Amino acid sequence: MNLNEVAVLAKPCLSFVFSLVGCCQRSSRLLVARRPWSSSPVSSPPLHKRLLLFLTERFYDVEMLLRWKSGMKWRGLQKKNAHYGYTENIHGANIASAFYILSLKGGFRFVGQSEWFRANRRGKFSWEFLKYKDTPLEEVDMSHTIINYIGLSNLETQQSLRTLSVRGCSEVDDWFLARLHVFQDSLKELNISHCPRITTGGLAALRNLKGLQRLDMSALQGISNPGLVVILLEEMLPQCEIIASGYDYSVEPEGVYKQSGQG
């Protein structure tokens, strides 16, 4: 690692340290300003008022710290979903896709192979996948990972991808669904269940997946009128089996088809 890379990595940390020093200096000035110089026996305000005063004086410091934490989380998310271009140049597109999946603690299976490669809870995995440099991926399981629409660029070269699961992925949203059109000629099964950021509008992008045979859209918090959404999806994808459990169909408008595992 050269000096430039070290400087880039250290910049956010130094910014936080300087900001924290500034917070401490402001807090110390506030304490000095409030120090009682008079020795007269004046009763202190009630505890709840002192607490409110304390929070008020430190509101902007806390807000700054929360904003810094949110920014660091966003940068970390973008870094983990960055395109693995260097790995692709050295080892090829298949290995780059495989390495990205394992780095996010996902799993995959190569075409013509029965063995699945997965990372364990600590993120450790076997490097045996390196011997399949010329073999594309057929099944990918990214369930409960932090994959987002940017990270999807690491899978776009996998034109033999038949199965993709992003179940329970907190960063999968409508933009992610819009980019799935690159798999329109190969994708057969898609699991987007329990993804809180997917909305009804995003599901419309699935119309491009004409070869899709099975779609699991269960328990999507951003979906309103799920019965109606299922009907529209069935019209767009007539050959596709749609699984839509985890909804309260009792509140559907009168006359809307209700699907909860029964025809």
Side-chain angles (χ1 to χ4, degrees):
M1 182 177 293
N2 56 39
L3 294 177
N4 291 332
E5 292 176 336
V6 172
V8 171
L9 293 175
K11 185 176 180 180
C13 298
L14 292 176
S15 301
F16 170 68
V17 171
F18 293 144
S19 301
L20 187 59
V21 170
C23 292
C24 295
Q25 291 176 345
R26 287 195 296 273
S27 298
S28 63
R29 287 196 294 269
L30 288 171
L31 290 174
V32 171
R34 289 166 44 225
R35 184 178 299 169
W37 297 104
S38 174
S39 60
S40 59
V42 179
S43 60
S44 60
L47 178 61
H48 69 279
K49 289 187 177 180
R50 281 183 288 164
L51 179 60
L52 290 175
L53 179 62
F54 177 86
L55 294 176
T56 301
E57 292 173 341
R58 286 153 182 80
F59 173 78
Y60 294 105
D61 294 341
V62 173
E63 184 183 32
M64 185 276 298
L65 290 175
L66 292 176
R67 187 176 299 175
W68 176 86
K69 181 180 179 181
S70 177
M72 288 296 293
K73 180 180 179 181
W74 183 84
R75 284 189 289 270
L77 179 67
Q78 301 304 94
K79 181 178 179 180
K80 291 181 179 180
N81 280 282
H83 183 64
Y84 281 39
Y86 179 79
T87 304
E88 183 175 345
N89 292 334
I90 300 298
H91 299 284
N94 297 328
I95 297 302
S97 297
F99 186 43
Y100 166 73
I101 294 169
L102 293 175
S103 298
L104 264 61
K105 300 181 181 180
F108 62 89
R109 183 179 65 80
F110 286 110
V111 172
Q113 303 295 322
S114 59
E115 179 185 6
W116 275 77
F117 290 90
R118 292 184 182 275
N120 60 23
R121 293 182 178 181
R122 295 184 177 181
K124 305 297 183 181
F125 51 83
S126 170
W127 292 92
E128 290 295 318
F129 70 92
L130 291 175
K131 64 183 182 182
Y132 296 101
K133 179 178 180 179
D134 298 323
T135 308
L137 279 59
E138 185 172 14
E139 294 188 69
V140 172
D141 182 8
M142 300 297 290
S143 300
H144 305 288
T145 66
I146 57 172
I147 185 175
N148 62 9
Y149 74 97
I150 295 177
L152 195 59
S153 64
N154 290 293
L155 303 179
E156 290 181 348
T157 57
Q158 302 305 312
Q159 296 303 308
S160 297
L161 185 64
R162 294 175 56 88
T163 301
L164 174 62
S165 175
V166 290
R167 173 186 171 89
C169 292
S170 59
E171 299 300 325
V172 168
D173 53 12
D174 296 344
W175 289 100
F176 184 94
L177 298 185
R179 294 192 67 171
L180 291 178
H181 67 88
V182 296
F183 306 116
Q184 60 183 345
D185 296 327
S186 64
L187 197 62
K188 304 299 181 184
E189 297 184 17
L190 176 64
N191 188 339
I192 56 173
S193 62
H194 300 272
C195 293
R197 301 184 64 182
I198 291 178
T199 68
T200 304
L203 292 175
L206 299 181
R207 67 181 181 274
N208 297 313
L209 304 178
K210 299 300 183 181
L212 200 64
Q213 298 176 358
R214 189 175 188 273
L215 170 65
D216 191 340
M217 51 162 286
S218 301
L220 298 179
Q221 300 176 11
I223 300 300
S224 57
N225 298 326
L228 180 59
V229 172
V230 170
I231 291 177
L232 295 176
L233 285 173
E234 288 179 337
E235 292 180 353
M236 290 190 299
L237 305 169
Q239 79 292 344
C240 183
E241 174 192 2
I242 298 177
I243 301 173
S245 60
Y247 299 105
D248 183 7
Y249 290 96
S250 62
V251 297
E252 290 291 325
E254 192 68 25
V256 172
Y257 174 77
K258 302 175 181 180
Q259 177 179 345
S260 58
Q262 300 178 354

